[in-house]
Amino acid sequence: MTPGESRACPRPDSCCEAGGRVLGAISLPGVTRSAPEARAFVGRIAGACLRVAEDVRGDIDLCVSEMVANACEHTASGKGGRIGVVVAVKREVVRVTVVDDGGAAGTPHVAEAYGENGRGLLLVEALALDWGVDEARTGTAVWAEFPAALARMPVEPRCRAASATTRAP
């Protein structure tokens, strides 16, 4: 595990529901430059633990970038807060969740195709098997699911409500 990574789950009630397994979680500063770090984190887990088709990896990268950017732009995470990224797997599906600090004026949604904003979630909707929005302890959790098979578990996977190790901005 690298600094900043944690197996602590910021939203254990959702991440582990119905037998799902959390493969990893990370807490990052709520800035857009965290998007590449979030993609790299998800990529490390995918490479180490999952069987994911190459084109699906590209879809996951794009969706992670969009979800992180939205959290940083539209919530308190982007005003000195943090975001959490959780990777979980259940059967043949991997779920990537981005948890923000809340404070958005509304619920994340897909905007009209020709609107000035909101096309990021249009991409998520088009590329993911499924996606959605849940309330989280700290704000909002936006998740997307993709086809993937669990190849092997990390050494000690855990989903616990302990606070995540954090990295300074």
Side-chain angles (χ1 to χ4, degrees):
M1 232 186 241
T2 64
E5 291 181 26
S6 170
R7 287 192 179 97
C9 180
R11 198 162 174 271
D13 54 322
S14 172
C15 300
C16 295
E17 66 189 16
R21 291 181 164 236
V22 171
L23 301 177
I26 189 170
S27 176
L28 298 167
V31 293
T32 55
R33 71 177 184 272
S34 290
E37 194 168 349
R39 284 192 313 269
F41 169 72
V42 174
R44 282 191 302 276
I45 291 173
C49 304
L50 302 169
R51 287 189 305 270
V52 181
E54 196 60 39
D55 59 331
V56 173
R57 281 187 187 213
D59 293 347
I60 293 170
D61 282 351
L62 179 57
C63 290
V64 168
S65 292
E66 291 298 335
M67 292 188 300
V68 168
N70 282 349
C72 294
E73 183 176 340
H74 300 293
T75 74
S77 293
K79 297 174 179 68
R82 300 194 68 81
I83 59 162
V85 179
V86 180
V87 182
V89 66
K90 181 179 174 187
R91 295 188 188 96
E92 301 292 314
V93 174
V94 63
R95 177 182 279 203
V96 179
T97 304
V98 174
V99 183
D100 64 46
D101 284 342
T107 302
H109 63 281
V110 175
E112 294 181 29
Y114 299 105
E116 286 186 33
N117 294 310
R119 288 188 297 267
L121 288 178
L122 186 64
L123 289 171
V124 173
E125 183 176 65
L127 297 174
L129 292 172
D130 196 10
W131 77 280
V133 178
D134 295 321
E135 286 185 35
R137 289 184 198 144
T138 60
T140 302
V142 178
W143 54 268
E145 294 179 335
F146 304 90
L150 183 62
R152 60 187 167 275
M153 285 298 294
V155 178
E156 288 187 36
R158 294 180 190 185
C159 185
R160 53 194 155 92
S163 60
T165 304
T166 57
R167 179 178 302 175

